Amino acid sequence: MTTMVRRWPLLRVLLSAHLAFTAMLWALFMVVVLVITGILAATAGISESIQHYATTQAPRWLLFGLGIDVVSTYLRLHLAHGRTRRNFLGQSIGYTFVISGFAAALITVGYLVERLVYAMFGWTQRLPRKAMFDAADEYPMMLATFWLTFLLWTVAGLVIGLGFFRSTGLGLLTIPVGLMIVLPTFIPTRDGGLPFVGEELTGLDVAPGVVLAACAGLYLLAVGIVWAIVRDVPMKSTAP
Amino acid sequence: MTTIIEVDRLSLRYNEVTALDDVSFTLTGGKIYGLLGRNGSGKTSLLSVLAGYRKESGGTVRVGGRPVFDNAEVTSQVCLVRGTGDAASSGIKVADVLTFASYLRESWDSTYAAELVEMFSLPLNKNVGALSHGRRSALGIIIGLASRTPLTMFDESYLGLDAPSRYKFYDALLAEAMSQPRTMIISTHLIEEVSALFEEVLILDEGRLVLHDEAETLRAAGSAVTGDAESVDRFVAGLRVLGEKRLGRTKSAMVYGELDEDRRAEARAAGLDLGPLALQDLFVHLTEPTGDRS
């Protein structure tokens, strides 16, 4: 048995369940983006990055969903095999870093793929909306922006998932908490996309260090909430 | 690890409901225990505390001398399969459920699991959610048996199985108990079908332990008197009758209390057969609402 399996069994389970799934969805996403790009090129012409419209919106919801799935599917499995809640906390934290980094890397590669396609046809890959990165070829900053964003959305999914695992009442209470956790991610992506809240954050001109500090603080808060909920959470029976 | 189980003044409350109240017992381990009780008597709650699925509200629970809740040294040695099993989520393929078990459970025996998969004819490529109730039950049983944990518990895990599959389970359970001695606790409603497996029996009623004894002692605590209906009625007059069955002129009455040699001779003289007490009748008697108990 490898060290990875012995020391990080849940992480191994989660990654084997979610990495391939995420990569598959990314490939599908890229195909859709390229098809839309082709249609626009044939009708209106291309002057900016098409995928930038979507990458700051849809992928974060996938990461949020994966965070919920970690609890709704794998916490039960973890406890049923005699593992502890403390162990779940450590491995789920490791998971949030790995899955969000992996997804951010795929998105970054997507910009690179788009750049190569645009170069072939002589189009300009301009960003329609500035993010914490100013141009579509600032790959390290792009990776950092999406990693930070996805990290907070994944841990927000964990918090809300655990809330509902414990009780419906607590689950409802964790929804605004989850929203608070993801709000700072609107600043680096300059994209809110939620009704009623967060749009004013997209215009704030905040130094990257401040954004990073705010996100780190909220991540730590989220981990504290995860521990507070999971440390003695009962595993209720499911029917049948 | 020894699997001596010590439960002392255990209580478990869900909000206003008391599921377990002042339950105390000690199991020395290495046997097959039967846990019996009516619906809502607290069986699942007790097993959930023993497996660390729930934290006790009061009292203590120790396995191998150590507390259970969130204690990896203990919980890694314990496997509880409730119903069709908590380790088989509906969104996962059967093959992945077994692979994940091998990652998460250090004592997992993949070879034995593969044998059981073949025995129960489980389709590995199917999603758990697409399995019939019976096959999900079989998957839960495989998870429990192949875990090879020193303490393995089944909580009504095989109710979805058809009769031939249930007998396969009982055979596998006995073979496992002989080849890999471990402590097993089986909670069931199918008392007569499983009772032959039990070495000790615990009966819960309304969250309280009403009986804990060796199965043989319980069976000897009374007798099944069978024979001509009129002779049976005459013989059991004045005795505590737990239950009766009648087929034509033949009648069987379960009587509680030991019969001395004179009474046994009297039964033989009347042409009556004396057999061991059926655990199910004793169980029904002990868990009847107080007002109805004779």
Side-chain angles (χ1 to χ4, degrees), chain A residues 73-112:
Chain A
T73 303
Y74 296 96
L75 173 59
R76 185 169 287 281
L77 192 132
H78 176 84
L79 296 176
H81 284 301
R83 300 280 168 172
T84 61
R85 292 152 181 82
R86 184 181 297 273
N87 190 254
F88 174 83
L89 176 77
Q91 299 200 36
S92 58
I93 287 172
Y95 166 83
T96 61
F97 278 97
V98 176
I99 194 72
S100 57
F102 179 70
L106 289 178
I107 295 293
T108 306
V109 168
Y111 278 94
L112 184 61

Side-chain angles (χ1 to χ4, degrees), chain A residues 12 76 82-83 85 235, chain B residues 53 70 75 82 86 103-104:
Chain A
R12 168 99 187 256
R76 185 169 287 281
R83 300 280 168 172
R85 292 152 181 82
M235 183 156 78
Chain B
Y53 288 5
D70 227 38
T75 54
R82 295 186 302 196
D86 294 285
Y103 293 163
L104 287 162

Side-chain angles (χ1 to χ4, degrees), chain A residues 52-62 129 153 191-194:
Chain A
H52 190 71
Y53 284 103
T55 48
T56 52
Q57 280 280 339
R60 61 191 186 182
W61 287 106
L62 168 69
R129 184 177 54 234
W153 280 76
D191 193 351
L194 292 180

Side-chain angles (χ1 to χ4, degrees), chain B residues 15 86 92 112 155 196 223 261:
Chain B
N15 300 320
D86 294 285
I92 308 176
Y112 182 44
D155 182 19
S223 304
E261 198 43 50

Side-chain angles (χ1 to χ4, degrees), chain B residues 103-117:
Chain B
Y103 293 163
L104 287 162
R105 180 71 77 179
E106 285 180 11
S107 55
W108 181 258
D109 187 333
S110 295
T111 310
Y112 182 44
E115 285 170 22
L116 292 168
V117 164

Side-chain angles (χ1 to χ4, degrees), chain A:
Chain A
M1 198 178 270
T2 63
T3 307
M4 169 79 175
V5 176
R6 261 199 325 268
R7 297 185 60 184
W8 301 90
L10 180 65
L11 184 61
R12 168 99 187 256
V13 167
L14 291 172
L15 294 182
S16 58
H18 287 171
L19 284 185
F21 175 69
T22 304
M24 201 178 67
L25 283 184
W26 172 78
L28 194 67
F29 173 77
M30 285 307 298
V31 168
V32 171
V33 165
L34 291 176
V35 167
I36 292 171
T37 304
I39 294 168
L40 287 175
T43 53
I46 295 291
S47 59
E48 56 192 18
S49 167
I50 301 302
Q51 81 152 345
H52 190 71
Y53 284 103
T55 48
T56 52
Q57 280 280 339
R60 61 191 186 182
W61 287 106
L62 168 69
L63 274 295
F64 175 73
L66 292 180
I68 290 177
D69 189 49
V70 167
V71 177
S72 63
T73 303
Y74 296 96
L75 173 59
R76 185 169 287 281
L77 192 132
H78 176 84
L79 296 176
H81 284 301
R83 300 280 168 172
T84 61
R85 292 152 181 82
R86 184 181 297 273
N87 190 254
F88 174 83
L89 176 77
Q91 299 200 36
S92 58
I93 287 172
Y95 166 83
T96 61
F97 278 97
V98 176
I99 194 72
S100 57
F102 179 70
L106 289 178
I107 295 293
T108 306
V109 168
Y111 278 94
L112 184 61
V113 170
E114 190 184 57
R115 189 168 198 81
L116 292 174
V117 172
Y118 279 33
M120 277 170 56
F121 293 97
W123 301 328
T124 309
Q125 192 195 24
R126 192 176 57 80
L127 294 182
R129 184 177 54 234
K130 292 283 188 323
M132 209 151 77
F133 45 96
D134 291 328
D137 61 350
E138 290 180 12
Y139 300 114
M141 201 57 169
M142 192 182 284
L143 178 69
T145 300
F146 284 110
W147 196 335
L148 201 60
T149 302
F150 294 159
L151 184 66
L152 287 184
W153 280 76
T154 312
V155 82
L158 267 181
V159 167
I160 293 174
L162 272 169
F164 279 99
F165 189 87
R166 185 144 203 150
S167 69
T168 306
L170 186 63
L172 293 173
L173 282 176
T174 54
I175 291 175
V177 176
L179 180 63
M180 184 188 73
I181 291 166
V182 301
L183 274 181
T185 66
F186 297 177
I187 303 172
T189 55
R190 301 277 188 262
D191 193 351
L194 292 180
F196 312 121
V197 290
E199 209 54 49
E200 59 280 7
L201 291 174
T202 60
L204 285 181
D205 192 16
V206 184
V210 176
V211 174
L212 189 64
C215 290
L218 279 166
Y219 183 80
L220 289 175
L221 175 71
V223 169
I225 294 169
V226 167
W227 177 236
I229 299 175
V230 82
R231 61 196 290 266
D232 62 352
V233 72
M235 183 156 78
K236 296 170 189 163
S237 299
T238 52

Side-chain angles (χ1 to χ4, degrees), chain B residues 25-93:
Chain B
F25 60 85
T26 299
L27 307 182
T28 52
K31 294 180 183 175
I32 299 178
Y33 296 87
L35 178 62
L36 312 179
R38 289 171 180 254
N39 291 332
S41 60
K43 301 186 298 295
T44 300
S45 297
L46 174 60
L47 296 179
S48 298
V49 174
L50 288 178
Y53 288 5
R54 286 184 175 275
K55 190 174 189 179
E56 58 272 23
S57 310
T60 57
V61 177
R62 290 178 171 269
V63 174
R66 286 171 288 198
V68 177
F69 188 78
D70 227 38
N71 182 352
E73 284 183 20
V74 175
T75 54
S76 64
Q77 308 291 305
V78 179
C79 179
L80 165 61
V81 182
R82 295 186 302 196
T84 54
D86 294 285
S89 292
S90 53
I92 308 176
K93 280 185 177 173

